[in-house]
Amino acid sequence: QKEVEQNSGPLSVPEGAIASLNCTYSDRVSQSFFWYRQYSGKSPELIMSIYSNGDKEDGRFTAQLNKASQYVSLLIRDSQPSDSATYLCAVNRGDYKLSFGAGTTVTVRA
Amino acid sequence: DARVTQTPRHKVTEMGQEVTMRCQPILGHNTVFWYRQTMMQGLELLAYFRNRAPLDDSGMPKDRFSAEMPDATLATLKIQPSEPRDSAVYFCASGFGDIQYFGAGTRLSVL
């Protein structure tokens, strides 16, 4: 079982719609969780961090965490063509070492 | 605008040659990470340092890879000898706490 698993995608959504990305992790003791966005040919860029169960909103992005189910999600509301990228879920596996999922590629259709 | 700086951005070399990649972390960050990204394996942690001390290099092939941090402004990753399977993008990231900022990466091609 991989440490971090994401829905494989690719995910295609029309402009203005909600994109929903899911991530599950295997280590029950993980305490901090991150979403990175990576444009093609570029480096990962942190867009959200979440530490507590529930929702965390930042602009058009909402991260959701459920530690009991070992599940993290990212919602992108009012999707824009500029949101087209690969989204990486990352889990802190101790001492700030991150394990990354394989990523979900999102395409927003104009 | 503080950023992690990596050099070179691109490197093409022949099998058997030594490759050195360099990273200047963001000033004030005490942790530096080296990652490798490939299509097949995704983003993998190779090694990391805190306050210049190596903490974990278990992700690196020991016989050919080495990572050092000679001072607070420079981290290096060396591959000797390089092999075609080392072709990948190598990222350096720095952070303080659990937030990491990535450099632009070094795209390595070993022929």
Side-chain angles (χ1 to χ4, degrees):
Chain A
Q1 181 186 9
K2 292 183 179 178
E3 290 185 55
V4 182
E5 300 209 44
Q6 297 184 238
N7 44 340
S8 56
L11 180 64
S12 180
V13 298
E15 185 174 356
I18 295 175
S20 177
L21 294 83
N22 302 318
C23 172
T24 57
Y25 59 95
S26 60
D27 190 346
R28 188 169 285 279
V29 302
S30 298
Q31 293 296 317
S32 49
F33 309 86
F34 308 89
W35 284 99
Y36 283 80
R37 177 177 61 200
Q38 187 173 24
Y39 292 114
S40 180
K42 302 296 185 182
S43 58
E45 172 193 12
L46 180 67
I47 55 171
M48 291 286 285
S49 60
I50 187 165
Y51 303 90
S52 304
N53 282 329
D55 295 358
K56 179 181 178 182
E57 188 174 313
D58 184 359
R60 297 184 295 108
F61 297 99
T62 299
Q64 300 173 317
L65 174 61
N66 183 325
K67 290 184 181 179
S69 300
Q70 296 175 237
Y71 174 88
V72 191
S73 67
L74 180 70
L75 300 177
I76 308 174
R77 293 184 304 282
D78 188 23
S79 295
Q80 302 296 309
S82 60
D83 296 326
S84 297
T86 296
Y87 291 81
L88 301 169
C89 173
V91 175
N92 186 339
R93 52 188 169 106
D95 199 28
Y96 307 135
K97 292 189 293 186
L98 298 183
S99 289
F100 285 83
T104 300
T105 298
V106 174
T107 301
V108 180
R109 308 187 305 270
Chain B
D1 184 24
R3 61 183 67 188
V4 177
T5 304
Q6 289 187 247
T7 56
R9 291 293 313 280
H10 302 275
K11 176 72 175 180
V12 180
T13 191
E14 293 188 349
M15 182 173 62
Q17 297 299 304
E18 178 177 302
V19 175
T20 298
M21 290 169 270
R22 294 176 173 81
C23 169
Q24 180 178 357
I26 294 172
L27 186 65
H29 285 185
N30 68 342
T31 311
V32 175
F33 303 84
W34 282 105
Y35 291 92
R36 175 172 62 186
Q37 188 174 39
T38 61
M39 289 294 293
M40 291 298 295
Q41 299 298 326
L43 199 56
E44 304 173 281
L45 178 65
L46 298 176
Y48 77 113
F49 299 79
R50 179 161 301 123
N51 298 322
R52 295 178 53 204
L55 292 187
D56 187 348
D57 62 0
S58 60
M60 290 198 312
K62 296 288 190 304
D63 55 340
R64 299 183 300 108
F65 284 57
S66 62
E68 296 180 346
M69 199 162 178
D71 63 60
T73 65
L74 177 65
T76 62
L77 180 67
K78 291 186 181 180
I79 308 174
Q80 169 63 19
S82 58
E83 297 181 1
R85 59 179 167 154
D86 301 328
S87 298
V89 181
Y90 291 81
F91 288 107
C92 174
S94 73
F96 196 92
D98 59 7
I99 302 297
Q100 298 182 23
Y101 297 90
F102 281 74
T106 294
R107 184 173 296 274
L108 174 65
S109 296
V110 183
L111 306 178

